[in-house]
Every structure is written in structure tokens, then in C-alpha cells.
Amino acid sequence: MIQYAAIILFVFGLYGLFTNKNVIKMIISLNVMEVGLNIFIISIGFNSDPNSIAPIISSTNQLSSVFVDPLPQALVLTAIVIGVGTTALGLAIAKNIYKTYNTFELDEMEESA
Amino acid sequence: MTIFDIISIVVGAFLLVIAFLAINSKKIINSVLFLSALSMLAVVSFVLMKAPDVAITEAVIGSGLVTALFVFTLLSINRRDA
Amino acid sequence: MKNIFGFLISVTLGVFIILALANTDAFPEFGSANTDNRVSSQYLIEDNVNDIGSGNIVTAIVVGYRGFDTLGEVTVLFISALGVAFMLSSPKQERLDLKFRPNFMLRVGSKILFGIILVTSFYIILHGHLTPGGGFPGGAIIASSVLLLYLADDKFRSNIKSFKILEGVAGSLFVIIGLLGLVLATYFLQNFLPAGNIGELLSAGIIPIIYILIGLKVGSEIAGIVDNFLTEEESA
């Protein structure tokens, strides 16, 4: 089910961060970790009752229905946008690394530029 | 086994396969495209778990902006051999 | 496996996490979340919902009950946009030369599509307290429309100075509205406008105003990041 898949996705991202030697692939593994973590946080607040609905009150949904938990959704909304900011900064640093050392692999970067 | 269980097992299996392909593949551009597909599968699982706000945000950011930033970084390197 | 040591560490961490999250009261089984004995039971009772006046409960949490965390998130995004602009800027700039020239139809037709996408983003931002959406996806859609203009035309550069001014003004207005809440009422970022009825467009106090400011700020920041990635120094 989805909770176990999310935790295994997090572990895949961590393994990719350990073993890859390319800077761009390390940033991709970081993004895989973030996707797994967001899916896991939302799966905590899920209610599998057939009558439960998304937390929006309108003319057809009254307050007395069963809602899924709205608090994890508010936390993940912030986390997704911060992930974009982190990825953008990492890619800007990677571009400057290429301009200085002329390669993306960690093994080929020499000490004196 | 309701229909929800079957769909969640299928989506979970696809998530694991595409994440494995994204981390171990030879060219970098293949990894970037698999990351975009992973974001789309995450949107499907957010809709399954009744979270529409998060699904809209992840769809816009995962498909448009992050993939475009990766491709722009890969375009600005000029190799001598292809 | 490429690295047996890293593989063992990752598998051990995964087993620890799965065993630690067995059925306790904090992490119940998948699909049996009962909001009665959680913090969210306070957000869903009748008096609090009519007090805030917003139909979308996630919006009421993000801007109303936890508004200070949203201020911190806006700050983090501002710092990352600042870092990108610091790393990738240079005195003289021109567009990256990609060695292809787009078609005439693409260059002209994308301007029509830009208008349609911008109207969609304003709709999603303005109805943040009635339907799913809000400021964050609306701002990202504004940035996507600017990305479309960059991709469709070879020599397009947007007016970066006006984006930076818009971003600064929107961020400052957010803090000023919070300070007005401190002056006119009891605490920082308190709702000082009337709440209204749930389901109307003019309801929920200051929540639509703050979402408009957040949408404009996020959109102009990410558009600035895209512009920084696509320009480079003039090869004199």
C-alpha cells in the first residue's frame, strides 16, 4: 500500500544520494526523497470511510460530515514550495561548478582550478 | 479487496519502478524525465487520498517549473563531443 | 550494487522506520484517522469555522491559524531567489544562444495563450477561500505563463526591474497587514475585518487579501529565477 511505498521511496532517494557521483544526479535523488516524504505525510491523515470527503465546506458539504484531516495538507503545501526553492539554489551552484571545473563528476574535479 | 486497494497497489508499484529507473540510468536527461513522471504519479496518489489543494500545487510545480529548471541547466553546458 | 556499505545503511534505516511506526496512537493504521482525538478537532467545530468565515479549511489553517509559518515560508523562498540572483548574475546580459529559431506561428500564438493562462491564475488566487487552490499554485501558474513566453520566443526578456519591485512591495504589505492586526486588535496577523457568511466571495476577513499578496510574490520570484537561468554574459 501507499505508506510502505512512500517509505521505500525515501530510502531509494537516500541510497541514490550516497552512491551517485554526478552533481545533477544527487539533486535528482534529493527530489525523489522529497516526493516520498510528502506522500507519507498526507497518508497519515487519510480516512477510508466511504462517506469521508475532502475538507471543504460548501452548499453541498455540511459541517457534520466526516472530513479527512486538514492539518497534514497545510504542512505539505508549504513543504512543496520550499522544495522548489532548494532545487533552484542547488542547480545555480551546479552551474557555477561547471563554469569553474568544466565537469559534473566528483572524481574528475581537481584541486587547483 | 475493494477497487481503492487495487489502484493503490498499482500506483505504489509504478512509483517504485520509476524511482529505481530515475536513480540508476546512464544518461542524465533520462533521469530528469523519469523525475517528471514520478511527480505525476504523486499527483495521482494525492487525489486518491482526498487532498485537492496539494494535488493542484504539486501538478503545477512538478510538471512545469522543476523540469524546466533541470533542462535549462543541462542546455547551458557545451561539450566538445555531442 | 555500486556500494555495499551505502546499501546496508539505507536498508537498515528503512527497517527501523517501518518498525518504529507500528500502530500506536500517534500513527494509526492507514485509513483510520479519527479527527476527534487530534488537534484538528478544534479546527472543525462550528463556532471556530463561523468565526474565521472561510469555506476551505486548509486555507483557514495556512493563513488564519498558522499564519506565522506562512510568513517564514515566504522568507525562505525570498532567500533562495536572492541566492540564485547572486550566483548567476553578471553586468552585461543577453539571452542564451540555443541555435534554433522558433516559428512565426509559435511566437505570435503564444502571446494569446499567455493571456488565457494569466486569467486562470487570477481566478485560482481570488477563490482561494472557496475552492481548492489559493496563493501558492496561483503564483506558480503566473510563473509558468512567463516561462511559456521565454520558451516561445528567442529574444524575449521580461522587465526584471518591475518584477523585483512588485515582489518587494507584496512582501512588505504582508508584514504591514500583520502589524495592523497587532495595532487594531490583540495579536500579530489577527483577522480584523468582518468574517461574513461562508461561501460568498467577500468573506473571511483578511484571508483573500493575504492570498493575493502571496500569489504575486511567489509568481514574481519564480519568474525572476527562470530569467536568471536563461541569460548569460555577453561573449564579447
Side-chain angles (χ1 to χ4, degrees), chain C:
Chain C
M1 295 297 154
K2 285 192 246 186
N3 190 353
I4 199 71
F5 191 53
F7 177 68
L8 279 178
I9 288 184
S10 309
V11 167
T12 311
L13 186 66
V15 165
F16 273 161
I17 293 179
I18 291 184
L19 285 180
L21 299 178
N23 303 339
T24 66
D25 205 16
F27 292 103
E29 206 180 313
F30 176 62
S32 64
N34 196 4
T35 62
D36 286 336
N37 42 2
R38 288 188 176 187
V39 179
S40 313
S41 64
Q42 295 298 317
Y43 298 143
L44 291 173
I45 61 181
E46 180 94 23
D47 291 336
N48 285 351
V49 167
N50 285 338
D51 215 6
I52 288 266
S54 150
N56 192 352
I57 302 183
V58 178
T59 295
I61 294 179
V62 164
V63 183
Y65 294 113
R66 305 247 178 168
F68 200 59
D69 299 342
T70 306
L71 184 61
E73 187 265 340
V74 162
T75 305
V76 167
L77 204 56
F78 170 68
I79 290 180
S80 80
L82 193 66
V84 170
F86 176 64
M87 297 234 135
L88 291 182
S89 73
S90 59
K92 297 181 192 243
Q93 299 209 317
E94 66 170 16
R95 272 296 295 269
L96 198 60
D97 187 16
L98 293 173
K99 297 187 185 47
F100 72 94
R101 179 102 181 116
N103 207 356
F104 169 73
M105 289 285 296
L106 185 62
R107 268 183 285 135
V108 169
S110 68
K111 292 187 172 35
I112 302 177
L113 210 54
F114 167 73
I116 297 178
I117 297 180
L118 209 60
V119 168
T120 305
S121 81
F122 283 151
Y123 170 76
I124 289 185
I125 293 179
L126 274 178
H127 285 82
H129 54 289
L130 302 172
T131 58
F136 292 116
I141 293 180
I142 291 182
S144 297
S145 67
V146 172
L147 176 68
L148 172 71
L149 282 184
Y150 267 95
L151 286 177
D153 194 358
D154 212 13
K155 296 274 179 276
F156 173 79
R157 284 206 69 201
S158 62
N159 199 353
I160 285 303
K161 268 203 182 11
S162 62
F163 273 147
K164 301 272 189 239
I165 294 177
L166 181 65
E167 169 187 348
V169 164
S172 318
L173 275 180
F174 188 5
V175 178
I176 287 178
I177 287 186
L179 287 176
L180 273 181
L182 184 62
V183 163
L184 296 178
T186 334
Y187 49 88
F188 188 69
L189 281 175
Q190 188 182 23
N191 219 345
F192 56 87
L193 293 179
N197 305 326
I198 297 179
E200 294 184 2
L201 187 57
L202 293 177
S203 63
I206 59 173
I207 289 183
I209 303 178
I210 289 189
Y211 251 166
I212 292 176
L213 294 175
I214 287 179
L216 288 176
K217 184 169 173 65
V218 168
S220 48
E221 261 165 0
I222 301 188
I225 288 179
V226 166
D227 178 79
N228 275 330
F229 265 85
L230 274 179
T231 64
E232 62 173 7
E233 299 190 13
E234 261 182 27
S235 48

Side-chain angles (χ1 to χ4, degrees), chain B:
Chain B
M1 291 281 266
T2 64
I3 195 77
F4 175 80
D5 287 337
I6 299 178
I7 292 184
S8 77
I9 289 182
V10 167
V11 167
F14 266 128
L15 274 176
L16 294 180
V17 165
I18 289 190
F20 184 73
L21 283 174
I23 291 180
N24 303 349
S25 71
K26 293 288 185 301
K27 303 171 118 181
I28 303 182
I29 190 71
N30 288 358
S31 291
V32 169
L33 292 175
F34 284 135
L35 181 69
S36 182
L38 191 69
S39 284
M40 285 299 107
L41 282 175
V43 170
V44 169
S45 42
F46 287 151
V47 171
L48 269 183
M49 295 199 268
K50 300 182 182 144
D53 255 329
V54 182
I56 291 182
T57 305
E58 172 75 28
V60 170
I61 285 182
S63 74
L65 298 173
V66 172
T67 308
L69 287 182
F70 271 109
V71 168
F72 291 159
T73 304
L74 289 178
L75 274 179
S76 71
I77 66 179
N78 38 358
R79 298 175 181 272
R80 295 288 168 264
D81 44 354

Side-chain angles (χ1 to χ4, degrees), chain A residues 96-113:
Chain A
N96 270 355
I97 284 181
Y98 190 81
K99 227 183 335 184
T100 312
Y101 292 102
N102 218 14
T103 177
F104 271 138
E105 309 280 330
L106 286 181
D107 293 335
E108 298 171 15
M109 294 186 195
E110 301 161 351
E111 285 299 312
S112 58

